[in-house]
Structure formats: structure tokens, C-alpha cells
Amino acid sequence: MTTAPALLPPSARVYVAGHRGLVGSALTRYLTAEGHEVITRTRAELDLRDPEATAAFLRDARPDVLVLAAAKVGGIMANSTWPVDFLEDNLRVQLSVLAGAHAADVDRLLFLGSSCIYPKHAEQPIREDALLTGPLEPTNEPYALAKIAGISHVRSYRHQYGRRWISAMPTNLYGPGDNFDPETSHVLPGLLRRFHDAVAGGSEEVVLWGSGTPRREFLHSDDMARACTALLRAYDEPDPVNVGCGEDIAIAELAALVAEVTGFGGRIVWDTSRPDGTPRKLLDVGRLRKLGFEPAVALADGVRDTYRWWLEHKDS
Ligand code: GDP
């Protein structure tokens, strides 16, 4: 009797595309600590939007496993300012990496999507089968459509070529190595930066975007790395798997936590001319829990830890 090869053998060589990003860097640390050889290329060494260069690299490197963590990502303002870049860059990277991985016979691949692929008014908590059941949130529709194409692309390779490729849909992630630019970042690093600058500049007021009422779920990138590895080890189905912690908080509550962590005691003003985005995005994480995954980093600890990291690295 022949058995299928292990999904993630301990000796597997893993190419992490996007190893300098928030997820890719956490995953590189975690897989290395687990004893895997991790292959990386910087953006200067390899432009993943270039299909020939990507195919040549993969043919030569021949990884056993590929994690596609390279993507153009950004917060609500970045997405609505540069929609063409979010659509095109992500589609191009996905096309060249997935086609290149198939040509190089990469048997195991994890594609990372995002919780914004789900309809704006999806029933909460959002189950994986809510995909394509309603209109998307307009502020990040181009990004979401690129990611939805990626999920379909992965499923299609499974269906047509029997590839053991899978997709994960993470909630809002944060952690060391994130983008802290106040205009283009996601909300959590953006708030750390705004409150820090207010304290450093002796300001009594911080202006935040929207109404503060939208709710978001946050997961630390170290937990995301553990979840990705758990999926690579045990999951082999066409449907994507949500990755989250199962709890959400209002942006105003997050602001109060970040104010405490940064030592800000002044006033918070909500600029309602800025978009709120989708009202709520809490993922149903039942499928992931069945695989035995539980997050380990509590939000308050993770925010403190991320702030510490940024203080140590902000000048470099
Ligand atoms: P989203 O989850 O795709 O909507 O992306 P974000 O992480 O950028 O934003 C989450 C929520 O935080 C939205 O309701 C924003 O309006 C709100 N928000 C409040 N202040 C800020 C800020 O300074 N930066 C960002 N990115 N979002 C903010």
C-alpha cells in the first residue's frame, strides 16, 4: 500500500515569498525555529511580478513548500488612494508565483488572502462559505478581488492538476515589522504611531479616523505564523480557512488600549470625514480550532510588545 507523502515533512525546504513583511518575517522565524530550511529572496533580488524571473528562480531553487506571503497591503486610506496598484500588483504576483510554482512542481503551497474578501454585510462571525455571497466593501474592493482571484486560482490548480495547495484568510494582523506610517498603515500600528507622536510632542489631542464604532479582530503575527504552520501540517482541502482569534473590539476600545500603552492621557477626536470601512469583520474560526490551533498572544500583551519593537527599531 502506498501512502501520500506527509504534508509538511520536517525536512521540507520552504520558500517564504515576502519574508520581510509582517507575516513572512514571523513565519520565517517560526519555521526556522522548527528546524526547516527557509529560502528567501529580497525584492531587489527577485521581482515577483516578473513571471520569467520568478519561474527561473523557482525552477532553480526547487522548494518543497511555498508560502505566498508577498502582497501589496495597506490600510483603508492606502487602498482607496492607490486602487490600481492594489489590484495589479497582487494579481501579477499571484499569476507569476502560482504558475512558476506549478512549473517547478511545488507540491505544497499556502496562499494568504484576507478577511476583506468577504461581503461587507456578511453574517457575523463570518464563515468561509460566505465568500461571493454579496457585495464587497468599496474601500478595498480592488484588493479583495485580487485575493478572491488567488483563492480561485489555488482551487483551480488543485482541481486541474491535483496540487496540494491551500488558502488561509487571516483577520487584521499586527506585530513586529509592520508598517507604522500613519497615512498608509493599518489601524493598530497607525494608532501606536499617532499616540506616540502626541506624547513625544506634548500634544493634548489625537485625531483618529471615522467614528470609532467599527469592530475589528486582531491577531499577532506570531500566532499567524503558528496557524500557517498548523495548516501546512494538517490541512489539504479546497476551501480557504479563516485565521483569527475569535474576538473583536471596537476601534474606540482599541484606541483606549493604545493610549494606555503609549502613556497618552489627552483627548481623542474622531474625524468622521475619514472612512469607517466595513462595520464589522469577525471571523468564524471553527475550522481552524478543529485543527487544534488556539492563539497564544493576548491583545494587550501583543500591543505592548509591538510598541516596544517599534521603539527599538524606529530610527533604523
Ligand atoms: P480595514 O480593516 O480594512 O478597514 O483597515 P484599517 O486597519 O486601515 O482600518 C480599520 C478601522 O480603523 C477603520 O474603521 C478606520 O476608519 C479606523 N481608523 C481610525 N484611525 C485610524 C488610523 O489612524 N489609521 C487607520 N488605518 N485606520 C484608522
Side-chain angles (χ1 to χ4, degrees):
M1 195 180 87
T2 55
T3 49
L7 294 171
L8 183 67
S11 61
R13 294 168 66 245
V14 186
Y15 168 49
V16 176
H19 72 286
R20 284 186 167 166
L22 177 62
V23 180
S25 58
L27 193 58
T28 300
R29 287 193 299 274
Y30 187 70
L31 288 171
T32 305
E34 291 286 287
H36 288 281
E37 181 188 337
V38 178
I39 305 164
T40 59
R41 285 293 180 278
T42 62
R43 193 173 301 196
E45 289 165 339
L46 174 64
D47 182 351
L48 293 170
R49 293 168 302 184
D50 176 343
E52 277 88 37
T54 304
F57 158 70
L58 289 170
R59 225 174 17 245
D60 188 46
R62 292 227 159 252
D64 304 303
V65 177
L66 190 158
V67 180
L68 181 41
K72 178 151 185 84
V73 297
I76 195 161
M77 283 311 289
N79 269 274
S80 43
T81 310
W82 302 292
V84 174
D85 300 358
F86 280 84
L87 184 71
E88 286 188 2
D89 282 7
N90 287 307
L91 282 175
R92 289 172 67 195
V93 166
Q94 289 163 204
L95 270 172
S96 63
V97 172
L98 298 185
H102 175 61
D105 207 19
V106 176
D107 169 59
R108 193 79 176 126
L109 180 147
L110 172 63
F111 171 70
L112 298 181
S114 156
S115 58
C116 71
I117 59 157
Y118 293 116
K120 174 171 181 152
H121 296 296
E123 195 184 316
Q124 310 282 323
I126 310 171
R127 288 182 5 194
E128 288 87 350
D129 59 14
L131 185 62
L132 294 172
T133 57
L136 298 165
E137 155 61 33
T139 51
N140 53 25
E141 186 194 274
Y143 174 78
L145 284 172
K147 289 290 182 182
I148 291 170
I151 296 168
S152 177
H153 206 170
V154 163
R155 271 189 187 144
S156 301
Y157 270 109
R158 290 184 66 93
H159 180 76
Q160 192 172 333
Y161 296 106
R163 293 276 174 220
R164 301 193 301 171
W165 294 3
I166 56 172
S167 299
M169 297 304 120
T171 189
N172 290 40
L173 302 170
Y174 72 98
D178 208 347
N179 166 20
F180 286 76
D181 180 293
E183 290 305 311
T184 62
S185 71
H186 284 108
V187 60
L188 202 155
L191 262 52
L192 278 171
R193 178 71 185 269
R194 287 183 198 289
F195 283 107
H196 171 87
D197 288 353
V199 173
S203 168
E204 279 304 301
E205 186 178 291
V206 163
V207 179
L208 301 181
W209 300 347
S211 62
T213 58
R215 300 183 69 84
R216 294 289 184 272
E217 178 187 10
F218 296 96
L219 187 77
H220 194 278
S221 56
D222 286 344
D223 277 332
M224 175 63 186
R226 289 175 44 245
C228 289
T229 308
L231 288 171
L232 281 170
R233 285 189 177 133
Y235 188 77
D236 188 25
E237 303 287 336
D239 286 346
V241 179
N242 289 339
V243 179
C245 64
E247 280 172 36
D248 63 356
I249 66 167
I251 297 300
E253 292 173 77
L254 177 73
L257 172 63
V258 174
E260 189 199 312
V261 167
T262 52
F264 176 78
R267 221 173 29 252
I268 296 172
V269 176
W270 296 96
D271 176 0
T272 50
S273 70
R274 300 281 199 149
D276 263 343
T278 200
R280 198 175 180 201
K281 264 200 290 197
L282 176 64
L283 293 178
D284 181 316
V285 288
R287 202 173 266 176
L288 183 67
R289 286 222 168 104
K290 275 203 194 111
L291 294 168
F293 174 83
E294 288 294 335
V297 184
L299 182 61
D301 296 335
V303 169
R304 254 186 287 278
D305 168 67
T306 303
Y307 184 47
R308 210 175 305 122
W309 180 90
W310 182 71
L311 289 175
E312 282 163 16
H313 291 83
K314 66 183 168 49
D315 299 322
S316 59

